[in-house]
């Protein structure tokens, strides 16, 4: 029997900030609305009287009339916001930068309509970043747009496999390809330039673009003629997989398959809202994501686009009691004395960590060379993982509760050199 | 979502506020889809039947009695019945006992908060970290293997094996 209890626990463990599949919710809600309208909004009229145009709307609630009026105005005025029909208009709001606890520039960003993947709302500009704070808005908008497109592509093109169990099954999987610029567009093909937003140099690529290909701009279908050389585009391809059972199996329990991944075919080209440079992956990597530290929610811990190396770790899960939880705290090292050291969290709280050994000295002597000679010293950023009672908030973390200590590193670009954060 | 909040939502829906049902769909959709996917061994059929189950639950909400069962227990039963009907209509094997065991095992009403909290922490500690990412994508974001495979630029088989390995690690630490 499948381990459904563990699956159930995993589903229940979901944090509230994980947004469920809105498309699915909308589909269910759309199926419910008609019955609700018919039960609650029964129209009554004198059948002997001819219905006027205004009378057709009289039964509607006031908010619906206002919504209709706004909709009509938007349609007639041709506002850009009305264009987005395939996915929501990606929007963000960036607050002016402030200086973070680590002395970097920090920004709060509110994202909306960026697909279903939740995005952090606090970011720190890494030291030596190639972008400055004034560019953050453009880069974050570009990232939001790419996520919205990615979600749309999967929802639109993902489909189940053909064929039945026991037979060879063909499955086409959609994929949104990296951002590139157009070199040319003709009636039958489309050519992408060499460079992509991950700054990889690919061969110039020409793909067949028959009439069935969708061309999309501003979140809606447009004519091919709207696309010009130099436009930044994302494109969706379908990659074919053929699975053939490796063993004789006739039931749904058949699990072993040989697999063949075939060539891709182009299905949609999406003209992006912004300049090609705003989609640069390295620019996005210049922003370290921050989120509340688990168990110490007043302080912030580095989350995405951040690196670390382990200074110490051990498994204490077996000794975790029902009243305890694993907590995280991160901060700047303010003092080191023998095995112990103190850190100051972003909330300004000082924590004393009673480490089990002179882990900083050991790292600096033996492993630092592998990290561009980055050394753990006063001023370095360190994260501590430890066990503590759920209700306690001690600022001294004893040796026997420490599960791990990590040294935070800063890497500006993928594959780039590491420096102390 | 607390049981009290669930009761309030149900009352609002029964009072004619259809849109309040959205919160229940958001709360239970991932679980119901995975439950149906497991019974039917097919993601798309699983999504279709989960949708069917929500519609059925909405239409029959006035027959639900919170004194007799938790809403989740009632909803998962509806989903199981919808899936069994689908299997029968499509002339596929139906093992009712197995389905009943799945339904009992996956029902949130049977889970302790401490156990859930422990699983949440263990997910964060999965190694390599990509195991945590796929677990979150599948169980928390409700993505299909296919969608996750696209994100990781790999095959659905690989995603399946990562999820199985992640679950093995979790099982080991929970035992």
């Amino acid at each position: 029997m499948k381990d459904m209890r563990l699956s159930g626990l995993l589903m229940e463990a979901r944090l509230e900030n994980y947004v469920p599949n809105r498309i699915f919710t909308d589909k269910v809600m759309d199926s419910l609305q008609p019955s609700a309208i018919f039960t609650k909004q029964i129209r009554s009229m004198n059948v002997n009287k001819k219905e006027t145009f205004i009378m057709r709307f009289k039964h509607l609630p006031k908010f619906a009339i206002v919504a209709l009026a706004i909709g009509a105005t938007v349609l007639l005025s041709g506002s850009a916001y009305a264009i987005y029909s395939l996915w929501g208009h990606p929007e963000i709001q960036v607050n002016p930068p402030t200086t973070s606890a680590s002395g970097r520039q920090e920004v709060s960003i509110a994202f909306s309509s960026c697909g279903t993947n939740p995005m952090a709302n606090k970011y720190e500009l890494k030291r030596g970043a190639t972008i400055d704070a004034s560019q953050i808005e453009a880069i974050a908008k570009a990232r939001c747009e790419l996520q919205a497109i990615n979600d749309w592509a999967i929802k639109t093109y993902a489909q189940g496999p053909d064929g039945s169990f026991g037979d060879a099954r063909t499955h086409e999987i959609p994929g949104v390809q990296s951002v590139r610029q157009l070199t040319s567009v003709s009636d039958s093909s489309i050519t992408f330039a060499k460079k992509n937003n991950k700054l990889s140099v690919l061969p110039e690529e020409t793909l067949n673009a028959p009439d069935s290909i969708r061309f999309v701009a501003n979140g809606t279908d447009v004519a091919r003629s709207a696309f010009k050389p130099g436009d930044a585009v994302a494109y969706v391809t379908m990659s074919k997989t053929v699975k053939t059972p490796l063993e004789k199996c006739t039931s749904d329990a058949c699990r072993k398959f040989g697999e063949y991944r075939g060539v891709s075919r182009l299905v949609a080209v999406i003209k992006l809202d912004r300049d090609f440079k705003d989609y640069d992956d390295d620019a996005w990597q210049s922003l370290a994501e921050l989120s509340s530290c688990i168990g110490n929610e007043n302080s912030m811990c580095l989350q995405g686009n951040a690196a670390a190396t382990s200074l110490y770790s051990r498994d204490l899960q077996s000794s975790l009691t029902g009243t305890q939880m694993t907590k995280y705290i991160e901060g700047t090292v303010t003092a080191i004395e023998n095995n112990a050291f103190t850190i100051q969290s972003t909330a300004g709280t000082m924590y004393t960590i009673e480490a089990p050994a002179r882990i900083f000295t050991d790292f600096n002597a033996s492993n630092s060379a592998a990290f561009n000679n980055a050394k753990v010293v006063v001023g370095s950023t360190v994260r501590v993982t430890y066990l503590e009672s759920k209700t306690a908030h001690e600022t001294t973390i004893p040796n026997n509760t420490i599960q791990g200590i990590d040294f935070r590193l800063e890497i500006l670009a993928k594959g780039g050199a590491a420096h102390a954060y | 979502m607390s049981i009290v909040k669930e009761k309030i939502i149900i009352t609002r829906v029964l009072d004619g506020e259809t849109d309040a049902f959205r919160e229940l769909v958001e709360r239970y959709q991932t679980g119901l889809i995975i439950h149906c996917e497991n019974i039917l061994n097919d993601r798309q059929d699983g999504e279709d039947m989960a949708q069917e189950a929500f519609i059925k639950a909405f239409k029959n909400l006035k027959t639900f009695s919170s004194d007799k069962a938790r809403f989740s227990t009632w909803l998962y039963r509806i989903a199981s019945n919808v899936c069994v009907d689908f299997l029968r209509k499509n002339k596929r094997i139906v093992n009712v006992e197995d389905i009943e065991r799945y339904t009992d095992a996956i029902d949130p009403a049977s889970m302790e908060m401490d156990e859930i909290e422990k699983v949440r922490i263990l997910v964060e500690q999965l190694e390599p970290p990509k195991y945590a990412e796929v677990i979150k994508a599948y169980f928390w974001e409700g993505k299909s293997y296919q969608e996750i495979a696209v994100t990781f630029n790999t095959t659905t088989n690989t995603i399946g094996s990562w999820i199985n390995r992640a679950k093995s690690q979790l099982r080991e630490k929970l035992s």
Side-chain angles (χ1 to χ4, degrees), chain A residues 2-3 5 7 10-14 21 25-26 36 117 154 159 171 174 252 259 317 326 390, chain B residues 18 22 27 29 31 38 41 92 106 114-115 120-122 125 140-141 146-147 150 155 167 171:
Chain A
K2 295 168 191 176
D3 189 353
R5 179 156 178 81
S7 297
L10 281 165
M11 282 181 271
E12 283 306 292
R14 184 184 77 182
N21 181 341
T25 310
D26 289 345
N117 233 358
I154 289 168
Q159 51 193 270
H171 198 177
D252 292 358
E259 194 164 287
Q317 282 308 303
T326 303
K390 287 170 192 171
Chain B
T18 306
R22 179 179 289 275
R27 163 73 176 87
Q29 62 166 256
N38 271 301
N41 264 316
R92 284 166 59 184
I106 206 165
D114 280 357
E115 211 177 359
R120 188 178 292 147
I121 291 161
L122 291 175
Q125 292 164 356
W140 296 3
E141 292 165 29
Q146 194 178 322
E147 289 168 315
V150 171
T155 63
K167 284 173 94 176
R171 236 175 267 125

Side-chain angles (χ1 to χ4, degrees), chain A residues 278-289:
Chain A
D278 294 337
Y279 300 90
D280 176 5
D281 211 44
D282 281 351
W284 176 246
Q285 295 287 331
S286 298
L287 295 171
E289 294 175 23

Side-chain angles (χ1 to χ4, degrees), chain A residues 12-154:
Chain A
E12 283 306 292
R14 184 184 77 182
L15 294 167
E16 287 200 354
N17 60 353
Y18 277 84
V19 182
N21 181 341
R22 286 195 192 113
I23 308 249
F24 179 89
T25 310
D26 289 345
K27 261 200 220 168
V28 174
M29 295 309 293
D30 286 349
S31 314
L32 308 181
Q33 296 301 349
S35 57
I37 289 169
F38 289 128
T39 52
K40 287 203 53 124
Q41 316 268 357
I42 298 167
R43 294 172 62 184
S44 60
M45 65 176 287
N46 179 350
V47 290
N48 298 314
K49 194 174 168 185
K50 196 179 173 218
E51 191 179 39
T52 63
F53 181 77
I54 294 295
M55 279 168 68
R56 289 178 193 180
F57 301 101
K58 269 179 85 175
H59 67 284
L60 291 174
K62 273 181 190 162
F63 75 86
I65 296 170
V66 172
L68 278 172
I70 292 170
T73 311
V74 167
L75 275 174
L76 292 171
S77 65
S79 157
Y81 286 85
I83 298 173
Y84 282 80
S85 57
L86 303 177
W87 57 84
H89 185 258
E91 281 182 273
I92 69 162
Q93 192 177 346
V94 182
N95 289 331
T98 54
T99 304
S100 74
S102 68
R104 292 171 176 80
Q105 285 192 293
E106 182 185 280
V107 285
S108 296
I109 308 177
F111 289 93
S112 72
S113 301
C114 306
T116 52
N117 233 358
M119 297 184 77
N121 54 20
K122 217 158 225 177
Y123 295 82
E124 222 172 53
L125 199 56
K126 293 178 185 172
R127 287 204 178 99
T130 50
I131 60 163
D132 59 43
S134 67
Q135 292 166 275
I136 292 174
E137 184 168 352
I139 287 155
K141 267 186 184 162
R143 183 61 41 166
C144 170
E145 184 192 3
L146 287 182
Q147 283 211 173
I149 290 170
N150 195 60
D151 264 32
W152 166 77
I154 289 168

Side-chain angles (χ1 to χ4, degrees), chain A residues 311 336-341 355-365:
Chain A
L311 300 171
I336 306 168
E337 195 179 331
N338 299 321
N339 290 0
F341 61 95
R358 294 190 182 202
I359 53 171
F360 295 171
T361 315
D362 293 347
F363 174 85
N364 292 345

